[in-house]
């Protein structure tokens, strides 16, 4: 049987944990009609050779939405954190995203000292590798990079030295507070990032166990210039009723800037936003809900100033005066520190 080899660039191999070399192989001895649905064989060499996967190389079909949604928070990179553990899972997640109407995903693995010691250079390299593989798989999904950065005192230094990435190299960065305990100097730490010219996007506040008792912290930070990101699955009840109610409050009261998937796998935490988008529209209207997955994420892609797009409803009109006071308080605090 004759085999033609289509070899991925060597830079793609570390996606399969370094010890693997990967080739996409095509059987050229099959009939012309069979070749119309070309089958690729993923060959793995690890202490021998064996076929680990075979499937039709079919082009993913984009969702009929005219505009493609942008997901700013997704754990798509394989084997780098608690998200996708294999390349096959990453590819399955990518197909799910495309089918749901997502056109761009930011690959944002955890950066958590002592647990996930990821750095910007490695994240960018892995995103470049995955992008090549998506092209070979005919999955029409654009990728960018970032990190779900745990809020620790070293964040500012990590940003300055280039160890911690912002979203696509922009002024925006994902910032993950501690899940179970309010971080010491929480608001002051976020104020410092805002004062340094960053736009912190605080991830999934609705899922933080302490959030309900400290809602004013998030309101103050939003008025100061931080963005709040709600998880689509939380809005649909996939993290329980308490989290769902809190996510509804953040959205219905007009504090939410961005809706993202925070996807980790292909089931309960999959990269889908369309259903959550429809639910958000029942709380704040379709126009504002669309801003959470189109307009504001596009501002991140473009590294546009946050005031170049519509602010969340709670920060508009009558809220402008209080926003100015809060910003003045932030910069006053920075001058004293």
């Amino acid at each position: 049987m004759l085999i033609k080899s289509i070899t991925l660039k060597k830079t793609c191999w570390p996606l399969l944990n370094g010890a693997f070399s990967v080739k996409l192989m095509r059987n050229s001895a099959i009939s012309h009609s069979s070749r119309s649905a070309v089958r690729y064989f993923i060959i793995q060499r690890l202490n021998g050779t064996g076929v680990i996967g075979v499937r039709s190389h079919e082009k993913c079909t984009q969702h009929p939405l005219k505009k493609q949604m942008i997901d700013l928070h997704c754990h798509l990179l394989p084997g780098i954190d608690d998200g996708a553990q294999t390349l096959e899972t990453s590819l399955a997640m990518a197909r799910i995203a495309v089918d749901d109407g997502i056109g761009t995903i930011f690959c944002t693995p955890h950066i958590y000292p002592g647990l996930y010691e990821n750095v910007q250079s490695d994240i960018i390299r892995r995103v470049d590798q995955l992008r090549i593989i998506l092209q070979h798989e005919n999955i029409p999904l654009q990728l960018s990079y970032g990190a779900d950065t745990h809020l620790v005192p070293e964040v500012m230094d990590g940003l300055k030295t280039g160890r911690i990435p912002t979203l696509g190299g922009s002024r925006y960065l994902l910032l993950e507070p501690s899940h179970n305990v309010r971080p010491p100097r929480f608001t002051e730490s976020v104020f410092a990032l805002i004062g340094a010219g960053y736009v912190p996007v605080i991830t999934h506040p609705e899922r933080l166990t302490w959030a309900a008792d400290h809602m004013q912290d998030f309101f103050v930070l939003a008025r100061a210039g931080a963005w709040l990101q709600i998880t689509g699955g939380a809005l649909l009840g996939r993290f329980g009723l308490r989290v769902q109610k809190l996510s509804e409050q953040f959205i219905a009261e007009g504090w939410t800037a961005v809706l993202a998937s925070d996807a980790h796998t292909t089931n309960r935490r999959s990269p889908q936003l369309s259903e959550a988008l429809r639910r958000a529209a029942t709380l704040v209207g379709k126009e504002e809900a669309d801003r959470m997955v189109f307009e504001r994420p596009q501002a991140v892609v473009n590294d546009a100033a946050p005031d170049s797009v519509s602010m969340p409803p709670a920060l508009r009109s009558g809220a402008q005066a209080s926003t100015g006071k809060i910003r003045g308080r932030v910069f006053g605090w920075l001058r004293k520190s």
Side-chain angles (χ1 to χ4, degrees), residues 268-285:
R268 184 175 69 97
R269 301 187 68 179
S270 61
Q272 295 171 297
L273 288 172
S274 60
E275 186 179 357
L277 177 62
R278 290 191 293 271
R279 174 61 183 141
T282 67
L283 299 172
V284 289

Side-chain angles (χ1 to χ4, degrees), residues 246-281:
L246 204 55
S247 67
E248 289 174 344
Q249 181 179 349
F250 275 116
I251 290 177
E253 293 184 4
W255 298 102
T256 302
V258 173
L259 196 62
S261 74
D262 188 12
H264 281 62
T265 184
T266 57
N267 43 49
R268 184 175 69 97
R269 301 187 68 179
S270 61
Q272 295 171 297
L273 288 172
S274 60
E275 186 179 357
L277 177 62
R278 290 191 293 271
R279 174 61 183 141

